[in-house]
């Protein structure tokens, strides 16, 4: 992110500054909390429970926007968010359940933090693509500090292949994915941006099938179709409203 910022000046309007400022501090903080809580949730519970809870992000975003910022939320958007949550629940019914109740609290904290991060990112005037990356770096520093550095003991055990995938995930996939969805809050509501997060759950079985040749379960197909239908229908509705305006 810093290299792109330095070598490609035209990207700065979209990327934003690669450091914490007064304007982006709250968004960066909540991206940091979301990153740390998400990892802790996965470490303590099943991915099924975690993803179902995190799928409430657009719904939580709508509630927070309405209660604390007085934002009027379209009813159809809330219905799309609820339909998406239903789809995620169906996708995950075939997965095993976790046993540590703390995983649920970490997952809920992730959903709330992501919702707040999107809300505050929408209020940042400059670029916001880099905010999740700054939050991720901050989360990493906090994890190392709170564990006394013990988390670093496993680093020398990584193989060359693991380092390669780690670099691709950390330097390309996650920054682009989270950065672009953060940028979208400048053009659509934070609730609508959060709705697109649900596509991750719907498309994951497709990527697994294409690259690992693991056939999706019937629940994954049915739930994925519900999620995609909810997101696409809401997106088309917004486009029609903009065209009429």
């Amino acid at each position: 992110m810093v290299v792109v910022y330095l070598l490609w000046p035209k990207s700065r309007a979209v990327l934003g500054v690669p450091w914490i400022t007064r304007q982006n501090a709250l968004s960066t903080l909540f991206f940091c909390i979301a990153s740390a809580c998400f990892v802790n949730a996965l470490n303590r519970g099943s991915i099924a429970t975690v993803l179902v809870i995190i799928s409430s992000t657009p719904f939580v975003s709508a509630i927070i926007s309405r209660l604390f910022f007085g934002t009027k939320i379209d009813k159809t958007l809330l219905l799309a968010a609820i339909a998406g949550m239903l789809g995620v629940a169906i996708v995950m019914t075939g997965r095993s359940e976790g046993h540590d109740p703390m995983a649920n609290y970490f997952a809920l904290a992730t959903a709330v933090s992501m919702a707040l991060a999107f809300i505050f990112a929408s209020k940042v005037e400059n670029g916001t693509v880099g905010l999740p990356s700054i939050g991720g770096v901050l989360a990493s520093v906090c994890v190392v500090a709170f564990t006394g550095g013990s988390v670093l003991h496993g680093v020398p055990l990584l193989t060359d292949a693991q380092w390669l995938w780690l670099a691709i995930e950390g330097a390309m996939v996650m920054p682009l994915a989270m950065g672009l969805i953060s940028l979208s809050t400048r053009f659509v509501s934070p609730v609508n941006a959060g709705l697109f997060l649900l596509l991750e759950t719907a498309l994951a079985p497709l990527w697994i099938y294409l690259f690992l040749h693991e056939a999706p379960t019937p629940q994954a197909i049915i739930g994925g179709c519900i999620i995609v239908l909810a997101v696409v229908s809401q997106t088309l509705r917004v486009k029609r409203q903009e065209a009429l305006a």
Side-chain angles (χ1 to χ4, degrees), residues 58-77:
F59 195 70
V60 173
S61 180
I63 295 175
I64 294 175
S65 297
R66 181 63 179 155
L67 293 179
F68 298 99
F69 298 94
T71 305
K72 187 178 180 180
I73 305 299
D74 191 80
K75 291 182 179 179
T76 58
L77 183 56

Side-chain angles (χ1 to χ4, degrees), residues 151-210:
V151 71
L152 298 176
H153 294 166
V155 173
L157 303 177
L158 294 175
T159 65
D160 292 340
Q162 288 174 320
W163 273 112
L164 175 62
W165 289 116
L166 190 65
I168 293 174
E169 174 80 3
M172 293 176 59
V173 177
M174 288 304 297
L176 280 175
M178 295 304 301
L180 290 175
I181 200 168
S182 174
L183 182 65
S184 71
T185 59
R186 300 176 63 177
F187 308 99
V188 298
S189 71
V191 183
N192 221 339
L195 195 63
F196 279 87
L197 280 177
L198 303 184
L199 290 177
E200 176 186 8
T201 306
L203 295 176
L206 175 61
W207 306 141
I208 293 173
Y209 175 72
L210 291 177

